[in-house]
Amino acid sequence: MIHLGTAALLAAYGRRELSPVDVMRAVLAHATAREGQLHALCAVDADAALTAARASEARWRAGTALALDGVPVTLKENIAVPGAAYRLGTAAMPDDAVADFEAPPAARLREAGAIAWARTTMPDYGMLSSGLSSLYAEPARNPWDTRMTPGGSSAGAAAAAAAGYGPLHLGTDIGGSIRLPAGWCGLVGLKPSHGRVPIKPGYAGRVAGPLTRTVEDATLMLAALAQPDARDPTQLPPGQVLPRPLELRGLRMGLWLDAGWGEAPQPEVLAAVTAAARAFEAQGAIVEPLPAFTTREMADGMDRFWRMRSWLDISALPDERRAQVLPYILDWVAPAAHYDGATVFRGYSQMQALREAANAAMDGAQPFDFVLSPVSPMPAWPAHQASPLHDPARPFEHIAFTLPFNMSEQPALAINAGYTAAGLPIGLQIIGRRFDDAGVLALGAAWEQLRPAQRPWPFNPTEP
């Protein structure tokens, strides 16, 4: 039953063919069997999960079931839940650090009846695209090849999703932290329009969203998440998030294969993304090249701004705690100690530059309805590296295709496009106009029908 998606579970509960208690027990047992290999979870509360499952079972019997009643879900460790550990993936946080509030995404899932049974691992402060962390003895591993990273910063969430730890997993994204691991693990990962999913604490570009194995699961999860919460002043009014009817014929799509900076896409990545574009074209879509529209200046400015932000947090720690931060992160933030105000301000201004460039790219003389691109220029890399280059002086060369859409606040979906010769997933990114979350989900669902048959999910232990 661990292979079932959300809709299938809900239907089975309604027919009394499955019980939330049995499903929760199966997920707990499966996760226990895989965790020694994957290191996806930082906390599990089996007793509370089974108590919640019994309450869900009672609601199903009484005919009062909620929208996601009894569906298992994991929460990334930086999604606050009262009394739960809140160490943000770093050993620099006190051992007894716990949250004293419930983040809006956690509240919405709880109110929908989903069972938050585990919390997933992440790198220090969520500032890496891998699962490497000073807090955990081992980094999270990619179920497709456990020598490799699942990506990050929603590392454990992606590993758990691909390995079958239930259908729903919640991540966060500020530069690609949902879409990158989704791409490297063959998943569906949605970075919603900013404000679509209320969040706390908020930050420019930061969103929460689904990591799932299907567009249907991501859609059902988003419907629960996209409910109002006054604690987020950027929240959007309630709106349509279910996929809208989509006729492929006549849709205008930009094919963006050159980001303008960063690592160039590898041949296997280019081939898979181009093949997806040609498949849409064969259905009547109009696909045209989209030239590079972001620059090294934009990337370096964001890098400097983020270094200063992180330096301020880390430099405020007592010496003994600062020394526990992952050395790669310490090396990355160190230059910020010497930045002046003008450097930081110019870096901050690149948020607006990226926003304007990304939105303008879709609004040329012949506007695009959607943009297609790689999620990342390369497939997953070894799990003990912080980034593909493992160089804190060049930390973001792999996020050139994802970063712009955090700053532009547009919805962007990662979905599997194919596999490398070595069997690693390759991600396709679908970008829509601001607020058109329903559109990117609809195009993702269309791609699920068009793409070649997918390989079986790596639910069982394998030898690489």
Side-chain angles (χ1 to χ4, degrees):
M1 63 187 76
I2 61 168
H3 67 283
L4 294 177
T6 301
L9 282 178
L10 294 173
Y13 293 160
R15 296 190 299 264
R16 307 282 179 89
E17 293 173 357
L18 286 177
S19 156
V21 176
D22 292 338
V23 169
M24 196 65 256
R25 284 177 175 150
V27 169
L28 287 165
H30 180 64
T32 299
R34 294 303 309 275
E35 265 304 280
Q37 197 179 41
L38 299 180
H39 313 289
L41 308 179
C42 58
V44 175
D45 192 340
D47 290 341
L50 291 170
T51 297
R54 285 188 282 270
S56 173
E57 184 177 67
R59 288 191 294 272
W60 280 104
R61 287 176 175 170
T64 58
L66 304 166
L68 296 177
D69 223 324
V71 180
V73 62
T74 69
L75 306 178
K76 188 175 177 180
E77 200 237 341
N78 64 350
I79 299 293
V81 174
Y86 196 56
R87 299 185 67 188
L88 306 180
T90 179
M93 290 287 283
D95 295 347
D96 59 354
V98 296
D100 60 0
F101 68 99
E102 184 177 37
R108 298 298 86 79
L109 292 169
R110 174 181 53 78
E111 291 160 1
I115 301 173
W117 62 279
R119 302 176 66 75
T120 53
T121 56
M122 57 183 280
D124 288 54
Y125 301 106
M127 289 308 300
L128 296 177
S129 298
S130 76
L132 198 62
S133 164
S134 62
L135 182 56
Y136 316 121
E138 283 287 334
R141 304 297 182 121
N142 192 318
W144 294 93
D145 182 340
T146 55
R147 296 169 299 185
M148 303 298 176
T149 182
S153 64
S154 303
Y165 292 20
L168 302 182
H169 306 270
L170 184 68
T172 61
D173 192 315
I174 200 171
S177 287
I178 289 172
R179 289 159 291 156
L180 291 165
W184 290 318
C185 289
L187 301 165
V188 173
L190 176 67
K191 185 212 78 67
S193 298
H194 194 87
R196 179 70 67 204
V197 176
I199 194 168
K200 179 183 178 181
Y203 188 74
R206 184 175 188 247
V207 299
L211 275 155
T212 64
R213 294 188 295 276
T214 66
V215 171
E216 180 180 54
D217 279 344
T219 299
L220 292 170
M221 191 173 181
L222 181 65
L225 291 168
Q227 301 298 322
D229 194 302
R231 293 175 293 168
D232 183 349
T234 71
Q235 65 176 328
L236 296 177
Q240 175 67 27
V241 296
L242 297 178
R244 54 181 171 80
L246 194 66
E247 172 58 54
L248 294 179
R249 183 167 299 279
L251 277 183
R252 292 186 55 80
M253 299 183 187
L255 179 58
W256 185 41
L257 300 176
D258 178 5
W261 64 279
E263 291 284 289
Q266 294 180 3
E268 288 181 302
V269 173
L270 284 176
V273 173
T274 301
R278 298 290 83 87
F280 283 123
E281 202 169 43
Q283 298 299 309
I286 301 165
V287 180
E288 296 179 352
L290 176 60
F293 59 85
T294 60
T295 66
R296 171 59 63 182
E297 180 182 9
M298 295 173 184
D300 288 348
M302 288 301 306
D303 185 8
R304 293 187 187 105
F305 176 73
W306 279 340
R307 287 184 199 232
M308 176 54 78
R309 174 195 174 226
S310 295
W311 167 249
L312 291 174
D313 290 341
I314 291 171
S315 64
L317 295 171
D319 290 346
E320 65 276 10
R321 294 218 167 270
R322 190 185 317 156
Q324 295 182 65
V325 175
L326 192 74
Y328 182 100
I329 297 290
L330 290 175
D331 290 343
W332 171 62
V333 303
H338 307 291
Y339 290 168
D340 60 16
T343 297
V344 177
F345 178 80
R346 283 193 293 268
Y348 176 79
S349 70
Q350 296 310 308
M351 287 190 190
Q352 183 65 20
L354 279 164
R355 177 196 297 267
E356 293 177 2
N359 280 280
M362 296 192 74
D363 285 318
Q366 296 290 324
F368 293 121
D369 299 296
F370 300 96
V371 169
L372 308 176
S373 83
V375 173
S376 171
M378 71 284 292
W381 68 89
H384 280 281
Q385 292 180 198
S387 67
L389 300 181
H390 201 61
D391 180 0
R394 301 176 64 204
F396 298 141
E397 301 305 293
H398 57 292
I399 70 169
F401 289 102
T402 54
L403 172 63
F405 308 108
N406 293 83
M407 302 307 115
S408 70
E409 305 186 358
Q410 294 167 251
L413 184 81
I415 188 167
N416 195 46
Y419 306 88
T420 67
L424 292 172
I426 298 169
L428 167 70
Q429 184 174 220
I430 298 171
I431 302 106
R433 292 180 173 276
R434 196 171 175 215
F435 311 133
D436 191 17
D437 304 72
V440 298
L441 287 166
L443 195 58
W447 172 240
E448 285 181 327
Q449 299 304 309
L450 290 175
R451 67 187 178 184
Q454 299 292 281
R455 299 184 182 186
W457 288 101
F459 288 178
N460 298 314
T462 59
E463 291 297 328

